[in-house]
Amino acid sequence: MARVSTHLLSVGILIVMLAVIWWWVTYRDVILYAYLSTKEAGLCLLGRSDICDLARTLCRGTPALINYWWGTFWIGVALVSASLAIHGPRRA
């Protein structure tokens, strides 16, 4: 079980990191041109909203093929959580 837990943790962390990079590539110009604050754009990392869609649309520098999908972040979080649940608490 420890091996499965380690693999899930590794894959989960990798997916979360890729999601953050993908989010940054998509929302970088939105933040730099001040369409949204970093905090507001950060909420777009976690979910979809009309304000996120509008800001992305206004900032045409991001090609449509790489628009961030918020579900990627949550898939990574789910894998990390599953790995921690499988591994259980550490014993001293």
Side-chain angles (χ1 to χ4, degrees):
M1 278 301 209
R3 179 177 270 173
V4 171
S5 174
T6 302
H7 289 311
L8 280 176
L9 181 62
S10 299
V11 171
I13 289 172
L14 178 66
I15 290 174
V16 168
M17 289 172 43
L18 290 174
V20 171
I21 292 167
W22 187 11
W23 166 84
W24 177 249
V25 167
T26 302
Y27 285 94
R28 168 184 53 213
D29 290 338
V30 169
I31 295 168
L32 295 176
Y33 292 121
Y35 292 128
L36 293 177
S37 69
T38 305
K39 181 180 177 181
E40 291 169 328
L43 294 175
C44 300
L45 175 68
L46 306 176
R48 183 172 176 256
S49 70
D50 291 340
I51 194 73
C52 296
D53 293 344
L54 177 62
R56 256 194 349 240
T57 301
L58 290 174
C59 197
R60 296 180 183 256
T62 305
L65 294 176
I66 60 170
N67 280 342
Y68 173 72
W69 179 60
W70 54 271
T72 307
F73 177 80
W74 291 112
I75 290 169
V77 169
L79 291 174
V80 169
S81 298
S83 76
L84 297 174
I86 290 171
H87 188 66
R90 287 192 138 177
R91 296 190 178 131

XYZ file of all heavy atoms in Angstrom:
726
model
N 0.805 -1.203 0.000
C 0.000 0.000 0.000
C 0.850 1.271 0.000
O 0.431 2.288 -0.522
C -0.920 0.028 1.224
C -2.167 -0.776 1.059
S -3.119 -0.208 -0.320
C -4.713 -0.615 0.192
N 2.017 1.190 0.615
C 2.878 2.371 0.681
C 3.312 2.790 -0.723
O 3.425 3.984 -1.008
C 4.091 2.101 1.558
N 3.547 1.814 -1.592
C 3.970 2.131 -2.962
C 2.857 2.845 -3.727
O 3.104 3.822 -4.429
C 4.379 0.847 -3.681
C 4.806 1.090 -5.106
C 5.260 -0.161 -5.757
N 6.689 -0.271 -5.501
C 7.415 -1.321 -5.820
N 6.829 -2.370 -6.360
N 8.693 -1.348 -5.591
N 1.631 2.364 -3.588
C 0.487 3.000 -4.248
C 0.312 4.418 -3.719
O 0.112 5.362 -4.487
C -0.810 2.177 -4.016
C -2.028 2.938 -4.503
C -0.712 0.824 -4.692
N 0.417 4.574 -2.411
C 0.284 5.890 -1.792
C 1.339 6.856 -2.309
O 1.042 8.006 -2.632
C 0.393 5.759 -0.271
O 0.394 7.022 0.334
N 2.569 6.382 -2.436
C 3.661 7.227 -2.930
C 3.424 7.635 -4.375
O 3.641 8.796 -4.745
C 5.007 6.491 -2.799
O 5.198 6.140 -1.421
C 6.157 7.347 -3.259
N 2.966 6.703 -5.191
C 2.693 7.016 -6.595
C 1.534 8.012 -6.730
O 1.610 8.950 -7.526
C 2.402 5.760 -7.405
C 3.596 4.902 -7.643
N 4.789 5.385 -8.117
C 3.786 3.572 -7.458
C 5.662 4.406 -8.222
N 5.073 3.289 -7.820
N 0.478 7.795 -5.962
C -0.653 8.728 -6.000
C -0.212 10.126 -5.570
O -0.607 11.122 -6.178
C -1.779 8.253 -5.082
C -2.696 7.171 -5.606
C -3.697 6.759 -4.528
C -3.425 7.636 -6.843
N 0.604 10.186 -4.523
C 1.085 11.480 -4.046
C 1.922 12.170 -5.116
O 1.733 13.357 -5.397
C 1.896 11.301 -2.761
C 2.439 12.585 -2.130
C 1.304 13.504 -1.716
C 3.315 12.238 -0.936
N 2.830 11.428 -5.745
C 3.681 12.007 -6.781
C 2.868 12.516 -7.966
O 3.077 13.637 -8.439
C 4.699 10.970 -7.273
O 5.530 10.552 -6.226
N 1.953 11.703 -8.438
C 1.129 12.092 -9.584
C 0.226 13.269 -9.204
O 0.068 14.212 -9.981
C 0.304 10.892 -10.098
C -0.718 11.330 -11.131
C 1.218 9.833 -10.676
N -0.338 13.230 -8.005
C -1.202 14.318 -7.554
C -0.467 15.639 -7.468
O -0.966 16.668 -7.931
N 0.730 15.624 -6.890
C 1.523 16.849 -6.788
C 1.897 17.352 -8.172
O 1.830 18.561 -8.450
C 2.767 16.625 -5.913
C 2.345 16.467 -4.448
C 3.769 17.766 -6.064
C 3.460 16.053 -3.518
N 2.262 16.458 -9.068
C 2.604 16.843 -10.433
C 1.412 17.502 -11.128
O 1.552 18.543 -11.777
C 3.083 15.627 -11.231
C 3.421 15.893 -12.692
C 4.632 16.818 -12.800
C 3.701 14.575 -13.404
N 0.227 16.926 -10.971
C -0.967 17.487 -11.607
C -1.303 18.856 -11.019
O -1.644 19.784 -11.763
C -2.163 16.516 -11.501
C -1.910 15.297 -12.397
C -3.474 17.200 -11.875
C -2.940 14.196 -12.269
N -1.176 19.013 -9.708
C -1.430 20.322 -9.094
C -0.441 21.354 -9.629
O -0.823 22.482 -9.975
C -1.380 20.246 -7.554
C -1.351 21.640 -6.936
C -2.568 19.452 -7.013
N 0.829 20.978 -9.712
C 1.842 21.905 -10.231
C 1.552 22.281 -11.684
O 1.653 23.452 -12.058
C 3.239 21.294 -10.096
C 3.723 21.231 -8.678
S 5.269 20.320 -8.422
C 6.289 20.859 -9.742
N 1.199 21.293 -12.500
C 0.862 21.575 -13.901
C -0.379 22.451 -14.006
O -0.454 23.327 -14.875
C 0.675 20.276 -14.675
C 1.952 19.471 -14.920
C 1.616 18.128 -15.562
C 2.931 20.243 -15.771
N -1.352 22.238 -13.120
C -2.560 23.064 -13.131
C -2.217 24.520 -12.821
O -2.741 25.440 -13.462
C -3.578 22.536 -12.120
N -1.336 24.736 -11.848
C -0.947 26.106 -11.502
C -0.205 26.763 -12.669
O -0.456 27.927 -12.996
C -0.100 26.123 -10.208
C 0.500 27.492 -9.962
C -0.949 25.689 -9.010
N 0.679 26.009 -13.306
C 1.395 26.554 -14.475
C 0.415 26.865 -15.601
O 0.488 27.933 -16.223
C 2.498 25.575 -14.940
C 3.608 25.497 -13.887
C 3.053 25.981 -16.302
C 4.582 24.349 -14.100
N -0.499 25.942 -15.865
C -1.503 26.136 -16.915
C -2.369 27.351 -16.591
O -2.666 28.174 -17.463
C -2.343 24.878 -17.039
C -3.324 24.825 -18.171
C -3.435 25.675 -19.239
C -4.346 23.843 -18.346
N -4.470 25.280 -20.055
C -5.034 24.163 -19.537
C -4.742 22.730 -17.614
C -6.095 23.405 -19.994
C -5.796 21.975 -18.086
C -6.465 22.307 -19.268
N -2.789 27.492 -15.318
C -3.564 28.654 -14.888
C -2.774 29.939 -15.145
O -3.322 30.904 -15.666
C -3.921 28.516 -13.407
C -4.424 29.779 -12.799
C -5.707 30.255 -12.842
C -3.666 30.751 -12.079
N -5.778 31.457 -12.191
C -4.537 31.786 -11.711
C -2.326 30.845 -11.708
C -4.115 32.886 -10.986
C -1.904 31.938 -10.985
C -2.793 32.952 -10.638
N -1.486 29.944 -14.792
C -0.672 31.140 -14.976
C -0.550 31.507 -16.455
O -0.660 32.666 -16.816
C 0.706 30.965 -14.350
C 1.577 32.154 -14.599
C 2.680 32.218 -15.386
C 1.399 33.483 -14.089
N 3.201 33.486 -15.400
C 2.428 34.291 -14.611
C 0.454 34.077 -13.259
C 2.543 35.646 -14.319
C 0.579 35.423 -12.970
C 1.618 36.189 -13.488
N -0.341 30.517 -17.314
C -0.239 30.792 -18.749
C -1.540 31.404 -19.261
O -1.523 32.335 -20.069
C 0.108 29.493 -19.526
C -0.082 29.666 -21.017
C 1.526 29.055 -19.204
N -2.658 30.925 -18.765
C -3.957 31.429 -19.204
C -4.271 32.808 -18.632
O -4.779 33.669 -19.344
C -5.075 30.439 -18.810
O -4.795 29.163 -19.389
C -6.430 30.913 -19.297
N -3.968 33.027 -17.357
C -4.389 34.256 -16.675
C -3.279 35.286 -16.478
O -3.529 36.350 -15.911
C -5.016 33.911 -15.317
C -6.395 33.337 -15.480
C -6.589 31.966 -15.535
C -7.495 34.161 -15.624
C -7.849 31.429 -15.710
C -8.762 33.643 -15.815
C -8.930 32.276 -15.849
O -10.183 31.758 -16.038
N -2.094 35.008 -16.935
C -0.963 35.930 -16.773
C -1.298 37.330 -17.288
O -1.141 38.321 -16.575
C 0.259 35.355 -17.488
C 1.417 36.298 -17.648
C 2.529 35.662 -18.456
N 2.011 35.154 -19.734
C 2.473 34.077 -20.337
N 3.446 33.377 -19.804
N 1.965 33.694 -21.486
N -1.773 37.425 -18.513
C -2.089 38.729 -19.093
C -3.270 39.400 -18.388
O -3.307 40.621 -18.252
C -2.375 38.613 -20.589
C -1.131 38.282 -21.386
O -0.020 38.553 -20.887
O -1.266 37.766 -22.512
N -4.223 38.601 -17.930
C -5.370 39.127 -17.196
C -4.889 39.864 -15.942
O -5.382 40.939 -15.608
C -6.333 37.976 -16.820
C -7.388 38.427 -15.839
C -6.973 37.390 -18.070
N -3.889 39.282 -15.270
C -3.338 39.905 -14.062
C -2.456 41.090 -14.432
O -2.568 42.169 -13.838
C -2.545 38.866 -13.241
C -3.490 37.781 -12.717
C -1.791 39.535 -12.098
C -2.788 36.568 -12.154
N -1.582 40.911 -15.419
C -0.649 41.974 -15.789
C -1.349 43.224 -16.311
O -0.884 44.341 -16.082
C 0.365 41.455 -16.810
C 1.314 40.376 -16.305
C 2.209 39.872 -17.427
C 2.159 40.878 -15.145
N -2.461 43.064 -17.033
C -3.204 44.206 -17.544
C -4.270 44.686 -16.553
O -5.070 45.559 -16.880
C -3.851 43.890 -18.889
C -2.838 43.706 -19.995
C -2.766 42.506 -20.703
C -1.945 44.716 -20.320
C -1.832 42.325 -21.709
C -1.003 44.544 -21.323
C -0.958 43.347 -22.007
O -0.033 43.168 -23.006
N -4.278 44.099 -15.374
C -5.162 44.510 -14.263
C -6.653 44.366 -14.583
O -7.470 45.133 -14.087
C -4.834 45.927 -13.809
N -7.003 43.391 -15.415
C -8.425 43.082 -15.597
C -8.970 42.460 -14.315
O -10.121 42.671 -13.964
C -8.647 42.118 -16.768
C -8.349 42.719 -18.116
C -7.508 42.077 -19.004
C -8.912 43.919 -18.507
C -7.234 42.611 -20.250
C -8.637 44.471 -19.752
C -7.799 43.811 -20.613
O -7.529 44.346 -21.844
N -8.130 41.665 -13.648
C -8.450 41.069 -12.349
C -7.236 41.206 -11.453
O -6.106 41.171 -11.934
C -8.782 39.576 -12.487
C -10.038 39.156 -13.223
C -10.115 37.638 -13.281
C -11.277 39.699 -12.546
N -7.488 41.292 -10.154
C -6.373 41.269 -9.212
C -5.848 39.834 -9.131
O -6.505 38.887 -9.585
C -6.838 41.732 -7.835
O -7.704 40.768 -7.262
N -4.688 39.687 -8.536
C -4.126 38.338 -8.377
C -5.064 37.473 -7.544
O -5.261 36.296 -7.850
C -2.739 38.413 -7.718
O -1.908 39.278 -8.495
C -2.087 37.054 -7.632
N -5.658 38.060 -6.516
C -6.594 37.308 -5.666
C -7.820 36.853 -6.463
O -8.241 35.702 -6.362
C -7.018 38.163 -4.480
C -7.952 37.474 -3.537
C -8.343 38.371 -2.380
C -9.348 37.688 -1.489
N -9.764 38.548 -0.380
N -8.390 37.772 -7.246
C -9.563 37.427 -8.054
C -9.224 36.367 -9.099
O -9.984 35.418 -9.310
C -10.112 38.661 -8.746
C -10.739 39.665 -7.808
C -11.038 40.993 -8.477
O -10.290 41.393 -9.394
O -12.023 41.632 -8.070
N -8.084 36.526 -9.744
C -7.665 35.531 -10.737
C -7.332 34.211 -10.065
O -7.537 33.146 -10.648
C -6.466 36.053 -11.523
N -6.833 34.281 -8.837
C -6.540 33.061 -8.090
C -7.779 32.217 -7.853
O -7.710 30.986 -7.813
N -8.915 32.869 -7.716
C -10.165 32.120 -7.557
C -10.505 31.341 -8.826
O -11.189 30.319 -8.758
C -11.303 33.070 -7.178
C -11.163 33.726 -5.801
C -12.275 34.748 -5.587
C -11.151 32.684 -4.703
N -10.003 31.809 -9.964
C -10.215 31.102 -11.230
C -9.431 29.794 -11.268
O -9.740 28.904 -12.054
C -9.826 31.990 -12.405
S -10.782 33.521 -12.504
N -8.406 29.676 -10.421
C -7.665 28.420 -10.295
C -8.556 27.339 -9.708
O -8.445 26.168 -10.054
C -6.433 28.623 -9.405
C -5.585 27.408 -9.052
C -4.880 26.882 -10.291
C -4.574 27.763 -7.980
N -9.491 27.748 -8.851
C -10.316 26.807 -8.108
C -11.649 26.479 -8.759
O -12.253 25.455 -8.459
C -10.589 27.361 -6.709
C -9.348 27.746 -5.910
C -9.749 28.367 -4.592
C -8.439 26.556 -5.715
N -12.133 27.366 -9.615
C -13.435 27.119 -10.223
C -13.725 28.102 -11.336
O -13.008 29.066 -11.546
N -14.817 27.859 -12.015
C -15.220 28.692 -13.146
C -16.252 29.698 -12.686
O -17.130 29.397 -11.879
C -15.829 27.803 -14.227
C -16.205 28.550 -15.459
C -16.623 27.579 -16.557
N -17.060 28.336 -17.705
C -18.337 28.491 -18.041
N -19.283 27.922 -17.328
N -18.653 29.195 -19.094
N -16.133 30.917 -13.207
C -17.138 31.940 -12.935
C -17.240 32.842 -14.161
O -16.377 32.836 -15.037
C -16.755 32.763 -11.703
O -15.643 33.581 -11.986
N -18.302 33.626 -14.191
C -18.494 34.551 -15.309
C -17.384 35.585 -15.370
O -16.952 35.968 -16.447
C -19.858 35.238 -15.197
C -21.011 34.286 -15.443
O -20.772 33.223 -16.066
O -22.132 34.585 -15.014
N -16.906 36.033 -14.194
C -15.853 37.050 -14.180
C -14.548 36.489 -14.746
O -13.817 37.187 -15.444
C -15.655 37.651 -12.766
C -14.814 38.919 -12.822
C -15.019 36.684 -11.823
C -15.511 40.093 -13.383
N -14.268 35.233 -14.479
C -13.068 34.601 -15.045
C -13.186 34.502 -16.565
O -12.234 34.812 -17.286
C -12.864 33.209 -14.452
S -12.531 33.186 -12.689
N -14.348 34.076 -17.033
C -14.575 33.963 -18.476
C -14.479 35.326 -19.155
O -13.874 35.460 -20.219
C -15.941 33.336 -18.762
C -16.025 31.884 -18.326
O -14.968 31.267 -18.089
O -17.161 31.383 -18.207
N -15.059 36.342 -18.536
C -15.026 37.684 -19.100
C -13.600 38.220 -19.173
O -13.181 38.749 -20.197
C -15.893 38.631 -18.274
C -15.881 40.093 -18.710
C -16.431 40.226 -20.123
C -16.668 40.941 -17.733
N -12.846 38.063 -18.099
C -11.465 38.564 -18.080
C -10.619 37.871 -19.139
O -9.826 38.512 -19.829
C -10.860 38.361 -16.698
N -10.793 36.570 -19.296
C -10.060 35.832 -20.320
C -10.439 36.306 -21.713
O -9.606 36.412 -22.598
C -10.334 34.336 -20.182
C -9.224 33.590 -19.568
C -9.333 32.092 -19.737
N -10.593 31.602 -20.244
C -11.378 30.764 -19.594
N -11.068 30.334 -18.414
N -12.490 30.343 -20.136
N -11.718 36.579 -21.908
C -12.187 37.041 -23.211
C -11.631 38.422 -23.544
O -11.236 38.682 -24.679
C -13.732 37.086 -23.244
O -14.220 35.779 -22.967
C -14.244 37.536 -24.584
N -11.576 39.300 -22.557
C -11.057 40.646 -22.771
C -9.576 40.640 -23.104
O -9.089 41.498 -23.826
C -11.296 41.517 -21.539
C -12.743 41.894 -21.268
C -12.842 42.628 -19.936
C -13.300 42.745 -22.388
N -8.873 39.686 -22.580
C -7.433 39.615 -22.795
C -7.175 38.582 -23.888
O -7.065 37.394 -23.633
C -6.733 39.226 -21.498
S -4.999 39.591 -21.539
N -7.083 39.025 -25.094
C -7.018 38.126 -26.250
C -5.630 37.548 -26.502
O -5.424 36.865 -27.475
C -7.507 38.847 -27.488
C -8.943 39.235 -27.370
C -9.396 39.956 -28.610
N -10.772 40.386 -28.441
C -11.780 39.778 -29.017
N -11.590 38.768 -29.804
N -13.007 40.228 -28.815
N -4.669 37.804 -25.621
C -3.314 37.298 -25.826
C -3.181 35.803 -25.634
O -2.231 35.187 -26.088
N -4.137 35.183 -24.956
C -4.070 33.756 -24.679
C -4.819 32.982 -25.752
O -6.014 33.189 -25.944
C -4.694 33.442 -23.307
O -4.037 34.234 -22.330
C -4.549 31.986 -22.961
N -4.130 32.086 -26.458
C -4.818 31.273 -27.470
C -5.909 30.406 -26.837
O -5.760 29.933 -25.718
C -3.704 30.398 -28.038
C -2.432 31.071 -27.667
C -2.707 31.827 -26.408
N -6.986 30.211 -27.547
C -8.129 29.456 -27.020
C -7.779 28.001 -26.704
O -8.411 27.382 -25.871
C -9.279 29.509 -28.016
N -6.775 27.462 -27.352
C -6.434 26.058 -27.132
C -5.855 25.787 -25.755
O -5.865 24.659 -25.295
C -5.423 25.589 -28.191
C -5.941 25.545 -29.610
C -4.812 25.148 -30.565
C -7.089 24.562 -29.735
N -5.358 26.827 -25.080
C -4.730 26.571 -23.791
C -5.515 27.162 -22.624
O -5.001 27.330 -21.545
C -3.272 27.075 -23.752
C -3.196 28.570 -23.999
C -2.407 26.299 -24.701
C -1.837 29.160 -23.745
N -6.788 27.487 -22.823
C -7.598 28.001 -21.723
C -7.623 26.997 -20.583
O -7.904 25.820 -20.771
C -9.018 28.310 -22.188
C -9.099 29.630 -22.905
O -8.209 30.468 -22.780
N -10.154 29.820 -23.658
N -7.358 27.500 -19.412
C -7.265 26.672 -18.209
C -8.605 26.044 -17.854
O -9.647 26.688 -17.906
C -6.769 27.553 -17.052
C -6.801 26.865 -15.724
C -5.883 25.869 -15.435
C -7.744 27.188 -14.766
C -5.911 25.218 -14.211
C -7.780 26.555 -13.552
C -6.862 25.562 -13.276
O -6.891 24.922 -12.073
N -8.569 24.774 -17.456
C -9.747 24.079 -16.951
C -9.535 23.819 -15.471
O -8.608 23.108 -15.076
C -9.996 22.772 -17.695
C -11.191 22.035 -17.170
C -12.479 22.505 -17.137
C -11.226 20.734 -16.603
N -13.305 21.563 -16.581
C -12.551 20.456 -16.237
C -10.258 19.771 -16.365
C -12.936 19.263 -15.645
C -10.648 18.581 -15.778
C -11.981 18.335 -15.434
N -10.373 24.389 -14.636
C -10.221 24.333 -13.188
C -10.303 22.921 -12.616
O -9.767 22.644 -11.541
C -11.274 25.216 -12.518
C -12.670 24.883 -12.943
C -13.344 25.398 -14.012
C -13.528 23.915 -12.361
N -14.589 24.819 -14.118
C -14.727 23.896 -13.107
C -13.422 23.050 -11.275
C -15.792 23.068 -12.804
C -14.485 22.221 -10.977
C -15.651 22.233 -11.739
N -10.918 22.004 -13.310
C -11.039 20.629 -12.821
C -9.694 19.937 -12.673
O -9.535 19.033 -11.838
N -8.713 20.375 -13.439
C -7.375 19.784 -13.353
C -6.811 19.941 -11.950
O -6.244 19.004 -11.389
C -6.431 20.464 -14.366
O -7.036 20.418 -15.649
C -5.085 19.786 -14.408
N -6.965 21.121 -11.373
C -6.479 21.379 -10.018
C -7.126 20.420 -9.024
O -6.452 19.814 -8.188
C -6.773 22.836 -9.625
C -6.373 23.172 -8.228
C -5.055 23.461 -7.926
C -7.309 23.194 -7.206
C -4.675 23.773 -6.630
C -6.950 23.507 -5.912
C -5.625 23.795 -5.619
N -8.431 20.252 -9.126
C -9.156 19.409 -8.176
C -8.850 17.924 -8.366
O -8.881 17.154 -7.399
C -10.647 19.694 -8.250
C -10.939 21.059 -7.713
C -11.370 22.140 -8.412
C -10.740 21.503 -6.371
N -11.470 23.232 -7.585
C -11.089 22.867 -6.324
C -10.298 20.883 -5.202
C -11.020 23.617 -5.144
C -10.225 21.635 -4.036
C -10.580 22.983 -4.016
N -8.540 17.496 -9.574
C -8.105 16.116 -9.788
C -6.797 15.882 -9.047
O -6.618 14.860 -8.367
C -7.960 15.800 -11.295
C -9.340 15.759 -11.952
C -7.198 14.497 -11.517
C -9.308 15.709 -13.466
N -5.869 16.822 -9.155
C -4.602 16.718 -8.429
C -4.807 16.678 -6.929
O -4.204 15.865 -6.218
N -5.684 17.550 -6.424
C -5.971 17.583 -4.987
C -6.601 16.256 -4.543
O -6.266 15.732 -3.477
C -6.884 18.779 -4.638
C -7.422 18.687 -3.219
C -6.126 20.087 -4.827
N -7.482 15.707 -5.349
C -8.121 14.430 -5.011
C -7.086 13.306 -4.931
O -7.150 12.454 -4.026
C -9.197 14.088 -6.038
N -6.135 13.283 -5.855
C -5.098 12.248 -5.821
C -4.200 12.398 -4.607
O -3.843 11.399 -3.954
C -4.271 12.282 -7.107
C -5.005 11.831 -8.372
C -4.127 12.036 -9.599
C -5.433 10.385 -8.254
N -3.831 13.627 -4.277
C -3.018 13.862 -3.076
C -3.796 13.425 -1.836
O -3.254 12.738 -0.962
C -2.590 15.345 -2.969
C -1.984 15.650 -1.612
C -1.602 15.695 -4.075
N -5.059 13.780 -1.767
C -5.895 13.400 -0.627
C -6.036 11.887 -0.517
O -5.962 11.328 0.576
C -7.281 14.042 -0.740
O -7.176 15.442 -0.716
N -6.228 11.224 -1.653
C -6.344 9.766 -1.648
C -5.056 9.118 -1.160
O -5.087 8.148 -0.392
C -6.689 9.258 -3.045
N -3.928 9.662 -1.579
C -2.651 9.089 -1.137
C -2.488 9.234 0.367
O -2.008 8.320 1.042
C -1.474 9.744 -1.860
O -1.203 11.034 -1.332
N -2.918 10.352 0.916
C -2.816 10.557 2.361
C -3.795 9.670 3.118
O -3.481 9.170 4.199
C -3.045 12.034 2.695
C -2.011 13.001 2.115
C -2.410 14.439 2.392
C -0.622 12.705 2.651
N -4.972 9.448 2.538
C -5.953 8.579 3.175
C -5.487 7.127 3.172
O -5.682 6.398 4.152
C -7.299 8.708 2.472
N -4.869 6.687 2.089
C -4.370 5.316 2.002
C -3.216 5.098 2.970
O -3.147 4.085 3.656
C -3.929 4.986 0.566
C -5.135 4.883 -0.348
C -3.111 3.695 0.514
C -4.787 4.778 -1.824
N -2.332 6.075 3.026
C -1.145 5.938 3.880
C -1.505 5.969 5.350
O -0.887 5.286 6.158
C -0.129 7.040 3.554
C 1.173 6.864 4.228
N 2.018 5.802 3.949
C 1.772 7.579 5.194
C 3.085 5.901 4.720
N 2.970 6.970 5.481
N -2.523 6.739 5.700
C -2.953 6.840 7.093
C -1.992 7.687 7.917
O -0.984 8.160 7.424
N -2.315 7.853 9.200
C -1.457 8.678 10.050
C -0.118 8.007 10.328
O -0.020 6.781 10.398
C -2.280 8.825 11.338
C -3.201 7.643 11.338
C -3.458 7.309 9.907
N 0.896 8.828 10.483
C 2.242 8.317 10.804
C 2.276 7.916 12.268
O 1.714 8.580 13.120
C 3.284 9.378 10.544
C 3.524 9.599 9.098
C 4.734 10.421 8.946
N 5.514 9.866 7.846
C 6.607 10.383 7.405
N 7.116 11.452 7.976
N 7.255 9.832 6.406
N 2.964 6.860 12.527
C 3.117 6.400 13.913
C 4.531 6.670 14.373
O 5.487 6.463 13.623
C 2.805 4.928 13.993
C 1.351 4.669 13.646
C 0.951 3.253 13.942
N -0.459 3.127 13.620
C -0.959 2.176 12.885
N -0.173 1.240 12.408
N -2.226 2.132 12.641
N 4.655 7.119 15.594
C 5.983 7.435 16.137
C 6.751 6.212 16.545
O 6.319 5.160 16.742
C 5.828 8.364 17.352
